[in-house]
Amino acid sequence: MADPSQVIKNAATAADARQAMMYALVRPQTDMKEEMRMEATDTVVSAIEKFGNMKPPKYDLAAKQVKETMDKKYAPNWCCVIGETFGADIVCEKQTLLYMFYAGNLAVLLFKNPF
């Protein structure tokens, strides 16, 4: 018969492994400079983790938080769209476009409007 403490330890390890496999794979496509890209990606991921766990997920609040953060850090006129299905035809300033997928099916479009 298995030792109960070993069974609990194995269950905790399995839960950790499941959590690690569920961690979001972020693949950005961008023309941003490296420092701005890292800041924008971190901002997006933290906003999605904060508001995406609500029932139902509040991606509009996550996009609002990303926009406000980027406005404060890199001057106004940033736009952010977060969702599973959307299309976009945009005009943006050079080196301010970020298009990425979070957790496979959640798309994020972040850019600075030149107008």
Side-chain angles (χ1 to χ4, degrees):
M1 181 139 175
D3 179 22
S5 63
Q6 188 65 25
V7 171
I8 292 171
K9 182 179 178 184
N10 289 342
T13 305
D16 291 340
R18 279 193 301 275
Q19 183 65 28
M21 290 185 338
M22 290 175 34
Y23 186 74
L25 176 62
V26 177
R27 289 183 275 173
Q29 297 174 6
T30 183
D31 66 349
M32 292 179 174
K33 293 182 179 176
E34 185 66 19
E35 181 182 328
M36 184 185 286
R37 182 195 62 79
M38 290 176 56
E39 179 71 28
T41 303
D42 290 344
T43 302
V44 167
V45 169
S46 65
I48 291 173
E49 287 177 349
K50 180 178 180 181
F51 294 105
N53 293 331
M54 296 179 171
K55 298 291 182 199
K58 304 284 187 187
Y59 296 129
D60 56 332
L61 296 178
K64 182 178 179 182
Q65 179 177 330
V66 171
K67 182 220 180 320
E68 290 172 353
T69 302
M70 295 300 286
D71 281 348
K72 288 178 188 172
K73 185 148 182 129
Y74 296 105
N77 293 337
W78 284 88
C79 300
C80 183
V81 180
I82 300 175
E84 293 182 6
T85 56
F86 65 86
D89 185 14
I90 63 166
V91 175
C92 65
E93 291 184 8
K94 289 183 180 179
Q95 297 183 339
T96 63
L97 176 65
L98 174 73
Y99 182 63
M100 63 183 260
F101 287 93
Y102 179 88
N105 63 342
L106 188 62
V108 178
L109 177 62
L110 176 66
F111 63 96
K112 187 171 183 183
N113 188 344
F115 303 109

